[in-house]
Amino acid sequence: MRKSVKLAIAVAVTASVVFASAFAGGKMENSSAAKSTGADKTIRVFGAFRGEEAARFDEIIKIFNAKTGYNVVYEGSPEFETQILVQAEAGTPPDIAALPQPGMMKNFASRGFIKPLSANVVSKIDENYAKVWKELGTADDGRVYGVFHRVNAKSFVWYPKKAWEAKGYRVPQTWDELLSLQKRMIANGDTPWSIGFESGAATGWVGTDWLEDIMLRTAGPEVYDKWVNHEIPFNDPAVRTALRYMGDIMLDSRNVYGGTTYILTSNFGDSVKPLFDTPPKAYMNRQGNFITGFMPERVQAQLEEEVGVFAFPAINPEWGTPVLGGGDQFVAFNDRPEVQEFLAFLTTWESCAPWAKIGGALFPHKTQNFDDYGNAIERDIAKILVNASVFRFDGSDLMPAEVGAGTFWTGMVDFISGRKAETVLSDIEKSWPEN
């Protein structure tokens, strides 16, 4: 789901000034003065996460500050994506920024705004991450600029554990096994899926996530990237194939609780609840790691006992079991040693474990201790994430807003409403803005 910010440039400039002023006064003013005498080294970090997420990141910062004697200070803003561009162009950026979009990193690298990571940081990425995370942090010039820390993922299927056990259902490892499971459920008089597209003005984004996940599994990451970047048309045969897979599930009323009417009218958060009725009205819900917060309170209170989760199954074994999601990559606007040292710290599990114990975040680090997660559910989905050889960002978030948060959303609604796949995809293709 897109988290875009559309603000007038005047507002962005004002916000940027306010942000800069905040760092110029108070604590930061004192540290700046101390820095000039060598008594203190302040590292300014700017990002989009706020509230509870910012508070948890601050706990991570405290560990680094205590270890090093540096003074890392984090500032979050709801206008981050606009502000950071204004600051970079004005020559007044923070030391480090947490960029939510890979395209932004590549844009900043091509314009010379950010610095490549030091050899030490790159070696730690090689040591502590799967290859895909280094690739996602690499710009078009072949140099590595981004360090990933906390991430989120969507390629999970949730199920009512006790009801599954009572029925003797088993977790499918492949798409064929998933289809066989669907048939078995239907033969037992059960409904396999509960799916909800409704999300106010953003209705339809659930459908885009489904299609993106299937595209990764049928066409692979390279074709997926071409699709997202419009290097192939939206109605390319690869996209039609993925939509057919999606339609085979969603347009068959035996597969989905309430049929297409329920899909179109039910809120995405409410769609997980039928799994926990007695007896369940459906047995599977595909959604991101955040969906546990929408489950009934009694289920949340006993999450490990009540809920099971597995990876959305592979289709083409060549691509393994990809994961779709998002995350912030930290980039440096200067290459001072202490800045690189903080980025190196973010590659370590020490910088993640406190947040993992509290819950609400996933981390891609190979070196992580899964026992540090607060519950079995997060341990399971963290293992799915770490074991994925393919990870890609939510495609609709990377597409132009007219498409990703417009015709793509509405097109998925139209498809479930009965419009032909070819017509839907052609209409989305026509809406893609010209360069």
Side-chain angles (χ1 to χ4, degrees), residues 171-188:
V171 169
Q173 301 297 321
T174 66
W175 196 260
D176 286 342
E177 289 181 8
L178 176 65
L179 298 182
S180 295
L181 177 61
Q182 286 183 166
K183 291 179 181 178
R184 183 181 174 192
M185 288 178 173
I186 292 169
N188 286 345

Side-chain angles (χ1 to χ4, degrees), residues 4 34 54 102 126 133 136 147 149 165 211 233 292 341 344 421:
S4 59
D126 289 332
W133 298 100
L136 289 169
V147 171
H149 190 242
E165 292 173 352
L211 185 60
T292 55
E341 188 173 341

Side-chain angles (χ1 to χ4, degrees), residues 144-384:
V144 185
Y145 290 83
V147 171
F148 283 90
H149 190 242
R150 179 209 61 167
V151 299
N152 60 73
K154 299 183 176 186
S155 306
F156 306 121
V157 179
W158 305 86
Y159 63 93
K161 184 183 290 186
K162 292 178 179 178
W164 266 50
E165 292 173 352
K167 294 279 188 174
Y169 296 144
R170 294 187 178 183
V171 169
Q173 301 297 321
T174 66
W175 196 260
D176 286 342
E177 289 181 8
L178 176 65
L179 298 182
S180 295
L181 177 61
Q182 286 183 166
K183 291 179 181 178
R184 183 181 174 192
M185 288 178 173
I186 292 169
N188 286 345
D190 296 328
T191 302
W193 296 94
S194 178
I195 304 169
F197 275 20
E198 196 279 321
S199 185
T203 293
W205 68 261
V206 171
T208 71
D209 283 1
W210 268 80
L211 185 60
E212 290 158 7
D213 241 342
I214 294 172
M215 273 286 291
L216 280 175
R217 284 157 173 74
T218 55
E222 291 185 6
V223 175
Y224 178 90
D225 292 342
K226 290 179 179 178
W227 173 52
V228 168
N229 294 316
H230 206 222
E231 294 172 13
I232 61 173
F234 211 100
N235 55 350
D236 185 87
V239 189
R240 293 201 301 270
T241 296
L243 191 57
R244 176 175 57 80
Y245 273 82
M246 178 175 149
D248 287 345
I249 291 177
M250 295 190 188
L251 299 181
D252 187 336
S253 60
R254 298 172 301 172
N255 285 329
V256 184
Y257 172 62
T260 56
T261 299
Y262 185 89
I263 294 174
L264 295 171
T265 60
S266 296
N267 179 267
F268 72 93
D270 291 336
S271 70
V272 75
K273 295 175 182 176
L275 277 62
F276 301 101
D277 286 346
T278 306
K281 292 185 174 70
Y283 283 76
M284 294 183 287
N285 180 268
R286 181 224 157 272
Q287 195 49 270
N289 54 288
F290 63 84
I291 199 62
T292 55
F294 291 87
M295 293 175 182
E297 289 185 6
R298 64 175 177 80
V299 173
Q300 294 187 50
Q302 303 181 71
L303 207 59
E304 294 186 29
E305 294 78 17
E306 297 288 343
V307 181
V309 62
F310 61 89
F312 198 51
I315 297 177
N316 185 335
E318 182 178 356
W319 316 120
T321 305
V323 171
L324 181 75
D328 304 302
Q329 59 177 314
F330 289 76
V331 299
F333 284 86
N334 67 65
D335 52 7
R336 299 200 325 265
E338 61 268 28
V339 171
Q340 296 290 327
E341 188 173 341
F342 181 69
L343 293 174
F345 173 68
L346 293 181
T347 70
T348 67
W349 184 241
E350 182 183 13
S351 75
C352 310
W355 200 338
K357 290 175 181 177
I358 296 172
L362 299 175
F363 301 91
H365 301 58
K366 289 192 302 184
T367 52
Q368 65 184 278
N369 181 355
F370 294 109
D371 291 337
D372 282 337
Y373 286 95
N375 60 70
I377 295 294
E378 291 194 332
R379 284 195 291 275
D380 288 345
I381 60 179
K383 290 176 182 177
I384 293 171

